[in-house]
Amino acid sequence: MLTPSHITELRAAVGAEGLITEQSQLQTYECDGLTNFRVLPGAVVLPCNAQQVQAVVRFCARHKVPFVSRGAGTGLSGGALPAAGGIVISLARMNRILEVDIANRLVVVEPGVINAHVTQRVASQGYFYAPDPSSQSVCTIGGNVAENSGGAHCLKYGFTVTHVLALEVVLPSGELVQLGSPTLDAPGYDLPGVFVGSEGTLGVATKITLRIVKRPEVVQTLLAAFDSIQAAGQTVSDIIAARMLPSALEIMDALSIQAAEAAVHAHYPVCNGLLLVELDGPRSEVEALMREVQALCRNNGAWEVRVAQSEQERALVWKGRKAAFAAVGRISPNYIVQDGVIPRTALPRLLSEIDRMASAEGLRVANVFHAGDGNLHPLVLYDRAILGQEEKALDLSYRILHLCVDNGGSITGEHGVGKEKQEALGYMFSEPDLATMQLVRCAFDPESIANPDKVFPRPRLCAEKPGPYTPHPLETAGIAEIF
Amino acid sequence: MSTSAALTLEQGMAHLASIVGQEHVRLHGDTIVASPADTQQIAEILRFADANRLAVMPIGSGSKQSWGNPVEPDVQLNMTRLDALHEHAWQDMTCTVQAGCSWAAMQAELAQHGQMVALDPLWPERATVGGIVASNDSGALRLKFGGLRDLIIGMTIVLADGTIAKTGGKVVKNVAGYDLHKLMTGSFGTLGVIAEVNFRLHPLEDHTRTWTAVAPDAAIFAAPLRALMDSQMTPSSVQLRTSKQACALDIRIAAQPECLDEYAARIQSIFGQIAIAESSEAVWQARQQLFDKNDAVVLKVSVLPSELCSISAELQQWAAAEALDIATVGQATGLMTVALHGAPDAEIALIERLRARLTDSGGSVVALQIPDSLRGRIDVWNCHSNALPLMREIKRRFDPNRILNPGRFVGNI
Ligand SMILES: Cc1cc2nc3c(=O)[nH]c(=O)nc-3n(C[C@H](O)[C@H](O)[C@H](O)COP(=O)(O)OP(=O)(O)OC[C@H]3O[C@@H](n4cnc5c(N)ncnc54)[C@H](O)[C@@H]3O)c2cc1C
């Protein structure tokens, strides 16, 4: 518990305007995008520079008070869930773009900068920031760094980690260190490489040097309708075998098409397997490859193949795809979102297995996936009003994750482990694997005050189950879709 | 045996032979060379070494053995028996390969399905996967495909105490747990032994063409290089070569065959008056050739991409003033290889001048290959990071008894 003298210390660190202790105001911070976990923090601080972050973290180190960093709170695994009675460090006020260096294709930002603002800043010079989580209009670079966020186009462009050159970090001791350098291969261990994706457990990022990418000359998007997911999946394999690297490859099944149509009228063909292929690059190249993709689709029995003819058409195709999650709310009262990864070739086998598991429980599962990299987002549909169905749905979604691991995959492709999947991490990794990760944790944070009780499975606790999905306020407001 | 008084060489030999078999242990000077057959044997060797405080140097073909600070190991852990490509899931575009496999052997197998690990390291015929990863080597393809940190998706490692740990996995997209494989990449064998690596793969680049422009001075290339990098073409490699005689800029593009002529025209227009012509793949050997002279100093220099031409030009001027022979090969990513040859004092002066010059932009100069005349006279790493205490703490946690390549890495880690 924070004492009045603690509060005085915190006020000295961030000023009265940077400190929140009012119960009603604290409630804003009690959860992230995984809204069924809620914990009230002891205080929220809103530092405006690295020195203030240091002062707060030093306070935490001195008194062994846990702290949790927070960006926009859009995380989907409970990463920004406060520690009870601990401090939430909101980076929202540290939102300046500090430097734009087009010649070196880099941008230096504070952690509270919103993802989409980076691209907005460099767009006029023909550049963009490649990682594009669909929450990009609200989520922060600090949150992206912590989660190693991906987006629709990471198949070709890579994840956040590919685009982070250097970091300034306040360690859990309160020290300020530079990890990496704007130049490549700074001598020493690749600390930015481990920090990215560490979900707030190794310190607070206070400055980030990002890589930006030149906009491709043209982008073309194709939709193909198949009678089965298998045929769509085979086409993906054929595209890969033809030595192409599309910027996006997405598949939707009949249920999710139905949901997306109901929500945004994307004019999708009604079919069992819809494939979306996006190619980008120099014009002549893209045009040549797109002809090849069309032929491959037809060879696999696609009965409708459309290339978006205008930017509006292209936007509509994506709108349907991105709306699929929230849209599921139109065909089912409740649903759970999962985020598993499998080797792409395991897809047909896994889908039949998920089908079998779902029917055995009398449930439906809609499937949307980043087919290029095997990242699936199964949506388990259920009705809370039916007694016992929620438990069944939770259990099913959890077993789907185990199935991913059993098939050589992962329990999370982009949403992170956080609070939600701690137990599942223990299913994916053995004790020695986890103990080795803990060595890193202990080197950075010997007292375990940075986002404690996250990521790693806790001994002696019964298995956690992922919670039912409650649409994020951003979704309800139509600002962002889960994707 | 230097670090352990309690153990005789004979005892050490006998114990290691009991792990890997008599025929896989030999003596090289005072060092026992042991060649394990599998991960389990690596673990047993390390457990034994850790208990007896024996310094261990993991080694592949030894092609980069002299990089970093010198280490006098009690045990050389020769990885070359672990040389299998365990899995090539070509439809998933991933593979799992043992650390002792030579780069070229791995690539030859992957090529059967038209795939590759998109990296062109030094001495591919000899160099092993483990050594390349531990030294974070990369070549001209880095511009398009990124470095090892972007290509490695998982690893099996063995810690000093014999713990066998897996990190990452076999899928490209995966954010579960810490990415220990990133920590291991470039750690010069100081944190653990890399036993197996999982890579993501790319399709082979079937149709490529290389063009070379020549000019008397590297500075002339600054404007066209910037225009090229700002264009919407996506070259696989761009390198600037300088020597006393001439400067050349090489560009390699991979594309559909019918598109290559169009690129040629675009490149021509970017270079305007500067002479440019199609050249051969052989130019991409230039970096490796800088290591050919045994008594040359070879530096890995990292600069901001925008500084590549100016630094290359300055280096030529400085070397001329000091009567040093110099040749440089710099990638458009800002990673340069620089070979120096001349009087030791002049070599040292130039290295120090370059380090001072790069302080502001965050660049670095690591001496990879140095002749004996320079050993002990320069800090090969020159790491001034304020994260060095953190790096030391990581080392302490992973290898508390400092048995793995002690002293080899930055800050004598
Ligand atoms: C509608 C919707 C769609 C989404 N789509 C995608 C998607 O397509 N791809 C994807 O990858 N994710 C997606 N997400 C998940 C989420 O947006 C990402 O994980 C995002 O990166 C979180 O950013 P944030 O600023 O909201 O971070 P928060 O949720 O506030 O925090 C996330 C984690 O980061 C840590 N953290 C925050 N700032 C810092 C810092 N400065 N230093 C250290 N740690 C810090 C927190 O402690 C926490 O562990 C989606 C979420 C929603 C609600």
Side-chain angles (χ1 to χ4, degrees):
Chain A
M1 273 313 283
L2 296 177
T3 64
S5 89
H6 286 155
I7 300 297
T8 311
E9 278 185 64
L10 285 170
R11 193 175 295 116
V14 289
E17 70 290 355
L19 179 66
I20 295 173
T21 51
E22 270 297 315
Q23 171 95 11
S24 62
Q25 285 179 288
L26 290 178
Q27 273 165 1
T28 314
Y29 297 88
E30 68 184 0
C31 67
D32 63 2
L34 187 74
T35 49
N36 57 317
F37 287 91
R38 287 171 193 272
V39 172
L40 206 63
V44 175
V45 294
L46 294 115
C48 40
N49 55 43
Q51 288 64 44
Q52 292 192 349
V53 175
Q54 278 187 282
V56 172
V57 174
R58 285 212 178 97
F59 160 89
C60 292
R62 207 159 47 235
H63 302 289
K64 303 217 185 336
V65 174
F67 66 87
V68 177
S69 309
R70 183 183 177 98
T74 67
L76 291 172
S77 54
L81 181 78
I87 310 291
V88 166
I89 303 179
S90 163
L91 285 310
R93 291 207 296 174
M94 292 176 64
N95 61 356
R96 291 173 305 161
I97 295 180
L98 301 171
E99 193 187 329
V100 175
D101 181 350
I102 296 290
N104 289 306
R105 297 178 287 285
L106 56 87
V107 172
V108 183
V109 301
E110 290 186 327
V113 166
I114 286 168
N115 174 300
H117 292 180
V118 181
T119 292
Q120 279 163 26
R121 175 61 84 82
V122 296
S124 64
Q125 280 121 307
Y127 285 80
F128 73 112
Y129 176 61
D132 58 342
S134 56
S135 50
Q136 72 183 139
S137 63
V138 274
C139 67
T140 66
I141 296 295
N144 295 172
V145 164
E147 300 290 356
N148 189 13
S149 297
H153 297 92
C154 55
L155 177 63
K156 174 167 178 180
Y157 290 101
F159 319 96
T160 299
V161 70
T162 315
H163 301 273
V164 172
L165 286 164
L167 293 158
E168 177 189 87
V169 169
V170 175
L171 297 177
S173 61
E175 267 168 282
L176 188 75
V177 292
Q178 317 295 327
L179 310 183
S181 162
T183 59
L184 295 179
D185 294 357
Y189 297 132
D190 180 8
L191 297 181
V194 250
F195 191 90
V196 176
S198 62
E199 304 194 26
T201 61
L202 301 181
V204 188
T206 50
K207 201 197 275 185
I208 302 125
T209 305
L210 301 171
R211 225 191 263 277
I212 47 170
V213 181
K214 186 73 184 177
R215 273 238 175 267
E217 196 169 276
V218 288
V219 181
Q220 283 194 1
T221 309
L222 165 146
L223 270 185
F226 297 88
D227 282 334
S228 70
I229 290 262
Q230 277 70 14
Q234 186 56 47
T235 310
V236 169
S237 293
D238 292 351
I239 290 173
I240 301 284
R243 306 189 179 183
M244 289 182 233
L245 183 59
S247 53
L249 277 170
E250 305 283 324
I251 294 181
M252 292 167 76
D253 72 357
L255 262 182
S256 44
I257 297 168
Q258 188 192 332
E261 272 304 306
V264 301
H265 311 293
H267 308 307
Y268 285 162
V270 177
C271 62
N272 287 326
L274 186 69
L275 174 66
L276 186 162
V277 184
E278 188 157 285
L279 296 175
D280 68 12
R283 180 177 303 281
S284 49
E285 187 87 20
V286 168
E287 282 169 358
L289 293 176
M290 201 42 115
R291 281 191 294 275
E292 225 179 302
V293 170
Q294 282 172 297
L296 291 173
C297 289
R298 294 239 156 71
N299 287 349
N300 283 297
W303 45 266
E304 185 168 342
V305 179
R306 285 187 215 158
V307 178
Q309 294 303 322
S310 65
E311 196 44 42
Q312 289 92 308
E313 271 186 49
R314 204 175 76 78
L316 189 60
V317 166
W318 275 110
K319 192 169 175 200
R321 167 62 185 85
K322 294 195 176 190
F325 278 24
V328 163
R330 298 187 176 237
I331 58 169
S332 171
N334 308 99
Y335 59 100
I336 297 165
V337 178
Q338 261 314 347
D339 167 39
V341 190
I342 47 161
R344 191 180 39 241
T345 43
L347 203 64
R349 181 161 31 103
L350 197 97
L351 288 178
S352 321
E353 183 61 18
I354 292 179
D355 257 357
R356 198 192 55 73
M357 285 159 58
S359 342
E361 301 293 345
L363 293 168
R364 292 183 302 166
V365 176
N367 279 296
V368 190
F369 21 77
H370 307 296
D373 41 32
N375 185 195
L376 31 149
H377 291 307
L379 302 156
V380 183
L381 316 186
Y382 70 98
D383 184 350
R384 191 176 286 160
I386 300 173
L387 197 68
Q389 207 173 59
E390 180 160 279
E391 287 69 28
K392 276 187 185 168
L394 285 168
D395 184 61
L396 176 61
S397 82
Y398 195 61
R399 282 190 286 133
I400 291 175
L401 285 187
H402 285 201
L403 192 62
C404 290
V405 174
D406 297 343
N407 279 278
S410 167
I411 57 163
T412 171
E414 51 187 19
H415 295 168
V417 179
K419 196 72 187 166
E420 185 198 19
K421 295 185 183 177
Q422 287 173 277
E423 202 278 331
L425 193 76
Y427 188 78
M428 179 166 166
F429 288 108
S430 69
E431 255 324 304
D433 306 341
L434 294 169
T436 308
M437 292 179 197
Q438 281 291 344
L439 297 175
V440 176
R441 172 75 201 255
C442 294
F444 276 81
D445 182 19
E447 304 286 353
S448 263
I449 57 170
N451 214 359
D453 291 328
K454 301 277 175 72
V455 183
F456 297 100
R458 287 160 302 168
R460 290 186 305 279
L461 261 189
C462 56
E464 281 128 339
K465 305 253 162 89
Y469 188 70
T470 327
H472 193 270
L474 292 171
E475 281 175 79
T476 351
I479 297 172
E481 293 98 11
I482 295 199
F483 170 52
Chain B
M1 294 272 149
S2 52
T3 44
S4 166
L7 202 71
T8 65
L9 262 183
E10 289 67 34
Q11 287 169 323
M13 290 275 285
H15 191 91
L16 291 176
S18 77
I19 298 171
V20 298
Q22 199 68 53
E23 65 280 29
H24 300 296
V25 185
R26 63 191 167 82
L27 209 54
H28 181 82
D30 271 350
T31 301
I32 305 174
V33 182
S35 309
D38 55 30
T39 309
Q40 214 58 49
Q41 290 187 0
I42 300 174
E44 283 179 53
I45 295 172
L46 291 183
R47 253 194 303 276
F48 172 71
D50 201 37
N52 292 286
R53 307 290 188 265
L54 304 178
V56 178
M57 173 192 272
I59 189 165
S61 74
S63 65
K64 295 174 283 282
Q65 194 182 359
S66 64
W67 292 13
N69 297 319
V71 175
E72 277 170 29
D74 300 307
V75 178
Q76 246 189 27
L77 194 66
N78 183 314
M79 296 293 291
T80 50
R81 285 175 75 204
L82 287 97
D83 64 351
L85 178 69
H86 267 163
E87 193 181 337
H88 178 194
W90 65 272
Q91 286 181 309
D92 294 316
M93 300 193 77
T94 60
C95 77
T96 300
V97 61
Q98 288 186 310
C101 185
S102 86
W103 195 260
M106 172 187 74
Q107 296 286 45
E109 284 200 52
L110 299 176
Q112 291 179 6
H113 285 285
Q115 297 179 351
M116 62 171 175
V117 177
L119 189 93
D120 46 350
L122 295 167
W123 312 297
E125 301 296 331
R126 274 191 295 149
T128 61
V129 169
I132 289 164
V133 172
S135 59
N136 189 24
D137 191 20
S138 65
L141 287 175
R142 181 137 179 195
L143 179 67
K144 181 168 178 183
F145 298 100
L148 282 164
R149 81 200 292 258
D150 304 302
L151 301 173
I152 295 176
I153 55 176
M155 246 183 222
T156 303
I157 57 179
V158 189
L159 304 191
D161 67 358
T163 300
I164 299 172
K166 282 191 170 12
T167 134
K170 292 184 177 174
V171 284
V172 173
K173 198 172 183 185
N174 176 11
V175 296
Y178 295 156
D179 281 353
L180 296 176
H181 40 291
K182 300 225 161 63
L183 195 60
M184 301 300 295
T185 302
S187 65
F188 275 79
T190 57
L191 294 178
V193 174
I194 299 167
E196 224 173 59
V197 182
N198 306 338
F199 287 105
R200 71 171 294 189
L201 305 177
H202 284 86
L204 283 171
E205 302 209 296
D206 289 326
H207 309 285
T208 65
R209 221 183 266 180
T210 295
W211 294 269
T212 297
V214 284
D217 179 6
I220 294 172
F221 287 127
L225 177 58
R226 182 164 177 185
L228 177 70
M229 298 314 293
D230 199 43
S231 78
Q232 284 159 321
M233 285 183 283
T234 46
S236 346
S237 309
V238 176
Q239 81 185 358
L240 173 66
R241 287 177 285 139
T242 74
S243 70
K244 215 184 245 161
Q245 292 77 32
C247 299
L249 190 77
D250 306 311
I251 302 160
R252 175 167 53 193
I253 292 192
Q256 296 293 98
E258 62 267 34
C259 306
L260 281 165
D261 286 338
E262 182 193 323
Y263 289 129
R266 283 208 215 179
I267 290 173
Q268 188 68 63
S269 78
I270 286 177
F271 281 79
Q273 300 300 311
I274 304 171
I276 183 159
E278 208 169 325
S279 56
S280 90
E281 278 283 309
V283 300
W284 302 105
Q285 294 299 316
R287 179 173 80 108
Q288 184 172 307
Q289 284 156 4
L290 294 183
F291 290 84
D292 286 352
K293 236 187 231 162
N294 272 336
D295 53 350
V297 180
V298 183
L299 309 172
K300 174 172 178 175
V301 179
S302 184
V303 304
L304 287 172
S306 65
E307 298 177 312
L308 179 64
C309 295
S310 55
I311 299 275
S312 303
E314 279 171 61
L315 280 171
Q316 286 299 335
Q317 288 157 16
W318 298 349
E322 304 272 358
L324 281 170
D325 257 350
I326 192 169
T328 73
V329 176
Q331 318 295 338
T333 55
L335 281 179
M336 304 174 65
T337 306
V338 175
L340 292 176
H341 193 243
D345 286 340
E347 290 172 341
I348 292 172
L350 185 134
I351 292 169
E352 279 169 1
R353 190 167 175 191
L354 182 59
R355 282 177 170 165
R357 166 76 171 78
L358 296 179
T359 310
D360 286 345
S361 60
S364 56
V365 179
V366 174
L368 296 178
Q369 174 179 300
I370 58 172
D372 290 340
S373 55
L374 254 59
R375 274 279 169 224
R377 294 190 61 197
I378 58 163
D379 175 359
V380 300
W381 294 106
N382 195 47
C383 170
H384 293 295
S385 165
N386 61 4
L388 200 49
L390 180 59
M391 293 182 202
R392 291 209 168 91
E393 181 59 13
I394 291 173
K395 167 74 176 178
R396 192 181 71 80
R397 299 268 175 183
F398 274 76
D399 179 17
N401 298 319
R402 295 181 54 75
I403 64 158
L404 289 167
N405 269 343
R408 183 165 185 182
F409 200 42
V410 299
N412 283 321
I413 280 175

